[in-house]
Amino acid sequence: MGKLYEPALPKLMEAMATEARRMKGMDRRNFLKGGIAAVAGLSSVQIISKVNASSNLPPNLPEWQSHLGPGVVSKPYGEPSEFENLQRRTVPWLTVDAASSISMTPLQDLEGIITPSGVVFERYHGGIPNVNPDQHRLIIHGLVERPLVLTMDDLRRFPSVAEIRFIECPANGGMEWRGAQMEALQFTHGMLACCEWTGVKLSTLLDEVGVKPEGKWILAEGADAAGMSRSIPLHKALDDTIIAWGQNGEALRPEQGYPLRMLNPGWEGNTSVKWLRRLEIGDQPWHHREETSKYTDLMPDGRARRFTWVQEANSVITSPCPEKPCKQPGFVEIRGFAWSGRGKIKAVDISFDGGVNWERTELKGLVLPKALTQFSYKTKWTGQPWLLQSRAIDETGYVQPTLRQLRDERGGWSIYHKNSIHTWNVTESGDVFNVQIS
Amino acid sequence: MFKSLSVASVFFSLVVSGTLLAGPLGIGTTATDEVIAGWDIDVRPDGMGLPVGEGSVAAGEGLYEAKCASCHGLFGEGEGRWPVLSGGEGTLDTLHPEKTVGSYWPYASTLWDYIHRAMPYTAPQSLTDDETYSISAYILYLNDIVDDEFIANKETFARVKMPNEANFYVDNRPDAQNERCFKNCADPKLFEIVTTINGVTPTGHFKEDSGVAANHYEGNPSAASEVGTSNEISTTKIVFSDTAVLGEGVYDKACQACHSSGIAGAPKTGDKTAWVSRIEQGMDILNVHAINGYQGEDGVMPAKGGNMSLSNDDVINAVAFMVESSR
């Protein structure tokens, strides 16, 4: 402790900071540079010679260790290292316009079950509205005793909850119903994210307004250009729906519905209406465009399933994957994510031979209901080709199906809810390709 | 002393929070009818939410042409890749289902609701109630669901029946049943391994030589369009790339039937004008169109030219041949 409180250094820093505040622009930056060097006890000439040192590797002194780095609040809101390349990405030809499109989470780069807010996949039907929270309202009306208008401050007064839950677009993997198409994990499975969501349970708000006995459905409506609207049955609302304002410890990101969104854990992402402005309680569903024209599943007989809300158990190996090939023979930990909209993941199995034989994996870290769950299998890769697959089993006993099983039931044109076992072909060179076994 | 005090205060606070939660917390402001009315825009199949007002097919035609046709096409056929609003009857159980208002939508109310809340795309909630009635009526007319005399209002609109209504049913998953088998669960002799089509995925961020670097929406599609083609096309004589050379045989077998003569609306191979805007879309789109098939403005391009025994690579090679012959 004693050393840190050496009186001279903080005083010198403080004096410099005061001095710097009186200056502007270039002057100020030059002053700070000189000052920092003085604090470090090095002249600027010394700093430059260190930068030019040929290597940062041992036994040399790394450049970054030879001088002070930027101080506190040099970035009031921090960002990833410049050496990282964590990015949402899209497939431009999928959609006709960026305001009605989709981008994907870089699953290949994620280091745990929480998806950083800045790379959570995006799906808009009319772009991102720029909502001023002071002028945003949630109206709850319809078959209720006490219709209410709530401000963001009002909402924060209610007892709150915080839950880690995944959110997934039902079209995740939908490009691959009729054949392998995408050459990267980010595009085969990236319409998926998992965050901690903070808000009030919808059931709490419904208690506040008093739902009349005839009330069975809720229309949730967004304040975006698409006026996104979905019918949610009361049983879901009373179970686990959250009206959320927080995401990973801070306010929702605009892309995720700032300042307020619905979150229906385990259900197709589209039902979790963003920029939520209105909840109307009614006695029957509304059959709006996103639950008729879209988000219904066309079957081979020409009929279609509606209200296909739940995201069934799914899993994918994230390492190795096309973006993360096997670089050298020897020990490898095969890692991946599993998730189920029906609850907790019970087990994940993997196969190296395209699904002929299977091994049990270990679940790692938190195993939460309706959340991404990590699995791990330790083995050796000696340059032999693999047809790598993972298979999730959830707590209801549901076993993730094969592609053939899904196609036999649903044909190739249902777009949504393709949760079949996925195959990576690891070749002798260690490169990894997306293939389908049919 | 200190200890017993804190126990008492915990007990006290439990009681308070218990009583409080029994009824409404009294948070928020009453929503008056006037406030609700401005935002309560939803319409239901039983007609709830349809406002007073009226529109006609005749009035809808002009409005539609002015406000909608630039994207959705004069007859709802969809300009370029914008959504198609009409046609597709009888296709839902085929290998090329076309889901439109007429062929797929179960309720007419959805049309009124959606147009009113979200269209025109660039100016949502700008249509009046009467305009919405007229344009909705016109789109129903384009789909042969009402006749040209149809007058749309609260009463008539709620009575419109959509042809596909009966074909929706409530989710009956779980459907596909898998077992948690561990040994000899599949027969490798039956495996058919299908690989991805190269060049349609943006991979520039992890493959150095991918040539497909469209990481972002505004990405440069020309990078993709170079895939599989050669740069050495001379002005006088066509020098085909290797891909195109491979494609010629496929073309002769499976594509020339339509593309050499231009029947059924197919762009003629070698006809530069017919191909210029198609080529501008980039090779990836052309390949996807040729492999999966699509309904264009000029006709139907069947998947793989109708010859499903061709591999994706065969088709990509044939497209390269056609494109290189046509610029």
Side-chain angles (χ1 to χ4, degrees), chain A residues 93 97 208 278 280 296 413, chain B residues 25-26 42 81 95 121 200:
Chain A
W93 53 261
D97 184 53
E208 190 70 14
R278 192 164 70 92
E280 178 173 349
T296 50
W413 294 94
Chain B
L25 306 177
D42 54 88
R81 301 172 59 221
L95 286 182
Y121 187 52
V200 302

Side-chain angles (χ1 to χ4, degrees), chain A residues 227-410:
Chain A
M228 179 51 60
S229 57
R230 288 292 305 246
S231 305
I232 309 297
L234 193 68
H235 67 77
K236 181 65 174 177
L238 295 179
D239 176 18
D240 60 358
T241 303
I242 300 171
I243 304 301
W245 54 78
Q247 176 187 8
N248 293 339
E250 61 177 348
L252 291 170
R253 290 292 171 87
E255 297 93 315
Q256 294 306 314
Y258 180 85
L260 193 69
R261 76 174 304 167
M262 176 174 263
L263 190 88
N264 287 306
W267 279 20
E268 58 182 19
N270 182 262
T271 65
S272 290
V273 173
K274 299 189 274 187
W275 314 287
L276 186 71
R277 72 165 200 174
R278 192 164 70 92
L279 295 169
E280 178 173 349
I281 288 72
D283 59 353
Q284 48 180 282
W286 276 258
H287 296 289
H288 276 181
R289 187 246 186 177
E290 314 299 336
E291 47 206 17
T292 54
S293 170
K294 307 292 166 194
Y295 305 103
T296 50
D297 307 27
L298 181 66
M299 295 293 124
D301 64 0
R303 301 194 311 142
R305 292 177 182 160
R306 65 159 60 111
F307 301 143
T308 45
W309 295 308
V310 80
Q311 294 293 108
E312 297 189 291
N314 202 343
S315 68
V316 70
I317 291 168
T318 58
S319 180
C321 71
E323 295 98 314
K324 299 276 141 108
C326 290
K327 288 206 173 115
Q328 62 191 74
F331 175 79
V332 282
E333 183 186 18
I334 295 174
R335 307 186 186 107
F337 290 125
W339 62 100
S340 166
R342 293 203 180 93
K344 283 186 189 162
I345 289 296
K346 189 168 81 187
V348 181
D349 306 323
I350 66 170
S351 172
F352 295 89
D353 55 14
V356 179
N357 298 298
W358 292 85
E359 309 279 342
R360 291 174 168 79
T361 71
E362 226 175 279
L363 301 185
K364 284 213 286 204
L366 290 174
V367 179
L368 300 170
K370 307 178 187 180
L372 287 192
T373 303
Q374 301 172 91
F375 61 88
S376 150
Y377 187 90
K378 302 178 188 80
T379 187
K380 265 193 179 155
W381 178 69
T382 50
Q384 74 277 34
W386 276 339
L387 287 171
L388 262 187
Q389 299 185 328
S390 65
R391 172 176 80 185
I393 296 99
D394 71 16
E395 62 180 340
T396 70
Y398 175 90
V399 182
Q400 184 183 352
T402 64
L403 181 60
R404 183 187 302 222
Q405 287 166 338
L406 267 199
R407 282 202 190 127
D408 284 351
E409 290 286 342
R410 308 186 198 162

Side-chain angles (χ1 to χ4, degrees), chain A residues 87-101 108 125 137 139 141 146-150 154 157-159 178 180-184 186-187 208 219 221 225-227 229 277-278 280 282-290 292-293 296-310 312 322-323 342 347 349 353-360 387 391 393 398-402 404-406 409-410 413 415 417 421 434-438, chain B residues 21 23-33 35-36 38-46 48 79-83 91-101 104-107 109-110 113-114 117-119 121 124-125 164-188 190-203 205-207 212 214-219 284-285 288 292-293 312:
Chain A
Q87 285 191 9
R88 291 191 272 247
R89 294 184 177 87
T90 187
V91 181
W93 53 261
L94 274 181
T95 52
V96 62
D97 184 53
S100 172
S101 191
Q108 70 280 6
H125 288 261
R137 295 292 181 272
I139 296 184
H141 70 110
R146 294 171 292 278
L148 284 181
V149 185
L150 297 166
D154 291 338
R157 287 178 59 202
F158 285 98
R178 293 185 304 286
Q181 186 159 316
M182 292 290 125
E183 294 177 69
Q186 184 160 7
F187 305 117
E208 190 70 14
L219 182 78
E221 183 181 84
S229 57
R277 72 165 200 174
R278 192 164 70 92
E280 178 173 349
D283 59 353
Q284 48 180 282
W286 276 258
H287 296 289
H288 276 181
R289 187 246 186 177
E290 314 299 336
T292 54
S293 170
T296 50
D297 307 27
L298 181 66
M299 295 293 124
D301 64 0
R303 301 194 311 142
R305 292 177 182 160
R306 65 159 60 111
F307 301 143
T308 45
W309 295 308
V310 80
E312 297 189 291
E323 295 98 314
R342 293 203 180 93
D349 306 323
D353 55 14
V356 179
N357 298 298
W358 292 85
E359 309 279 342
R360 291 174 168 79
L387 287 171
R391 172 176 80 185
I393 296 99
Y398 175 90
V399 182
Q400 184 183 352
T402 64
R404 183 187 302 222
Q405 287 166 338
L406 267 199
E409 290 286 342
R410 308 186 198 162
W413 294 94
I415 302 175
H417 302 295
I421 290 171
N434 175 20
V435 301
Q436 287 187 351
I437 298 179
S438 52
Chain B
L21 284 177
L25 306 177
I27 299 173
T29 316
T30 303
T32 61
D33 289 348
V35 165
I36 294 170
W39 281 13
D40 185 6
I41 55 171
D42 54 88
V43 173
R44 269 190 344 200
D46 62 354
M48 190 193 83
E79 282 295 335
R81 301 172 59 221
W82 299 98
T91 63
L92 296 183
D93 60 354
T94 70
L95 286 182
H96 299 283
E98 208 183 326
K99 297 187 278 184
T100 72
V101 173
Y104 194 62
W105 290 34
Y107 303 106
S109 62
T110 312
D113 177 273
Y114 183 69
R117 74 171 57 239
M119 289 292 137
Y121 187 52
Q125 299 200 34
N164 198 41
E165 178 180 344
N167 289 324
F168 284 83
Y169 58 98
V170 170
D171 188 10
N172 57 350
R173 292 173 302 156
D175 50 3
Q177 302 281 324
N178 198 2
E179 266 172 61
R180 197 179 176 198
C181 156
F182 284 93
K183 289 278 164 252
N184 300 320
C185 309
D187 182 355
L190 299 179
F191 279 3
E192 198 179 304
I193 296 179
V194 181
T195 56
T196 42
I197 314 160
N198 287 329
V200 302
T201 311
T203 49
H205 56 293
F206 68 100
K207 276 192 189 171
V212 195
N215 291 355
H216 294 286
Y217 207 83
E218 304 298 341
D284 47 5
I285 291 178
V288 167
N292 294 340
N312 291 343

